[in-house]
Amino acid sequence: MSMSFNSYVQPPIGLETKHQAFAQCYASPINLFSPSGYQQIAETPHLERIRQKDYRLKRQIRTWKLVARVFTFLLAIYPLYSQATTLHKFLSTRDIIIDGRNAWAKETTIWPTILLLSTSSATMVVSLFILASYLLSVKHANKTEKTVGTAGFVIEMGAHIAVWVATAVAYRLGNTGNDLWGWTCSDKADQIQDQFQAVIDFNDFCNVQSYAWILSIAQAVALIITGAVYYLAWRRLKHKERMEKDIMQNPTHF
């Protein structure tokens, strides 16, 4: 049976009793934005509007958090797949010799590929952990956030953004022609394509890695947006704490 919010609230009480209720709340801090806490004080239209507005903002922020985490998870899939595939192709074909050479640069560097592969893997693990919490229950997700704490999420998000920005920049700067991405997109690779047609299609691997770099930039942007969502959540929490304090200290204003 559905119950309205008013059913949780006690009938209007006198001013003296009202002040006593607020004094009790101040002595034993409670969440005035929940029915269990809100029922201990007299209902006012203004306080009801504040509570409803806070509840709507809470739901919106929670939705934004979930969407942002899903988006970062999906953006990490392709770079992970592309770099793993490229690295596997290099390791499995570097010893194939045709006409006195292999299909790769003389001194191939693979650190840009490993860097993007590692960063994508870390993002997927973190995102999966958060999404698993949401799948178990929203309550479990909130408990996870409380366990880590605001400072923990700020550090995690800040480090995550910094790592992806650095990875996108380093991956591009690492494109010197001797790396896996640079080589597969080079004119030198085109010149030996016919010889190694049965071994590798350089153009395909060039495109795969180019798309991965574009998505690495998109990932950095997505994480910045996610960080903004968490900042809004932090602002909401601080505003809620100030409102509860003001209600307890100045009950006649509400």
Side-chain angles (χ1 to χ4, degrees):
M1 179 177 68
S2 61
M3 298 180 65
S4 65
F5 177 77
N6 291 333
S7 64
Y8 288 102
V9 183
Q10 295 177 351
I13 55 181
L15 183 61
E16 181 178 356
T17 307
K18 182 178 179 181
H19 281 282
Q20 291 175 353
F22 273 102
Q24 182 181 1
C25 293
Y26 188 75
S28 302
I30 56 174
N31 182 2
L32 298 179
F33 288 79
S34 66
S36 60
Y38 188 72
Q39 65 180 348
Q40 297 185 35
I41 63 175
E43 178 185 9
T44 66
H46 182 50
L47 188 56
E48 167 68 5
R49 287 195 298 270
I50 292 174
R51 197 190 74 84
Q52 292 296 335
K53 183 178 180 180
D54 177 77
Y55 179 74
R56 289 193 299 269
L57 181 59
K58 178 181 178 180
R59 291 290 300 270
Q60 291 172 355
I61 290 176
R62 183 176 293 165
T63 300
W64 294 340
K65 282 182 179 181
L66 179 59
V67 171
R69 287 294 183 177
V70 170
F71 198 55
T72 55
F73 171 77
L74 294 176
L75 282 175
I77 293 177
Y78 188 82
L80 175 62
Y81 164 77
S82 65
Q83 300 311 292
T85 302
T86 302
L87 186 60
H88 176 267
K89 175 60 74 171
F90 167 73
L91 295 175
S92 62
T93 61
R94 61 180 175 176
D95 294 328
I96 298 177
I97 307 299
I98 298 177
D99 294 336
R101 62 159 303 153
N102 66 11
W104 302 95
K106 189 173 183 180
E107 296 180 357
T108 302
T109 56
I110 62 174
W111 69 261
T113 301
I114 294 176
L115 176 63
L116 185 52
L117 176 65
S118 301
T119 305
S120 300
S121 300
T123 295
M124 288 193 67
V125 170
V126 172
S127 298
L128 276 175
F129 176 74
I130 300 298
L131 291 176
S133 297
Y134 276 103
L135 288 176
L136 289 174
S137 70
V138 173
K139 182 178 180 181
H140 190 276
N142 291 336
K143 183 178 180 180
T144 299
E145 291 191 11
K146 289 180 180 179
T147 301
V148 176
T150 302
F153 271 103
V154 169
I155 294 173
E156 181 263 327
M157 190 57 61
H160 215 162
I161 292 171
V163 166
W164 268 103
V165 170
T167 297
V169 172
Y171 191 71
R172 181 63 184 86
L173 293 177
N175 186 350
T176 60
N178 288 334
D179 61 298
L180 301 185
W181 180 25
W183 175 257
T184 55
C185 296
S186 68
D187 293 336
K188 293 180 179 179
D190 289 339
Q191 292 171 7
I192 62 172
Q193 179 62 79
D194 290 341
Q195 296 173 240
F196 292 91
Q197 187 65 49
V199 177
I200 182 175
D201 187 325
F202 290 116
N203 187 59
D204 283 350
F205 279 88
C206 171
N207 292 334
V208 162
Q209 293 172 95
S210 297
Y211 295 147
W213 178 64
I214 293 173
L215 287 178
S216 70
I217 297 176
Q219 183 70 270
V221 173
L223 284 169
I224 291 173
I225 295 174
T226 303
V229 171
Y230 274 88
Y231 173 73
L232 288 176
W234 176 78
R235 286 290 302 271
R236 171 195 163 267
L237 181 61
K238 291 301 180 182
H239 177 72
K240 178 179 175 182
E241 291 174 352
R242 286 196 299 269
M243 287 298 301
E244 289 179 345
K245 183 177 180 181
D246 289 344
I247 291 172
M248 293 177 187
Q249 294 180 342
N250 303 291
T252 57
H253 293 175
F254 297 87

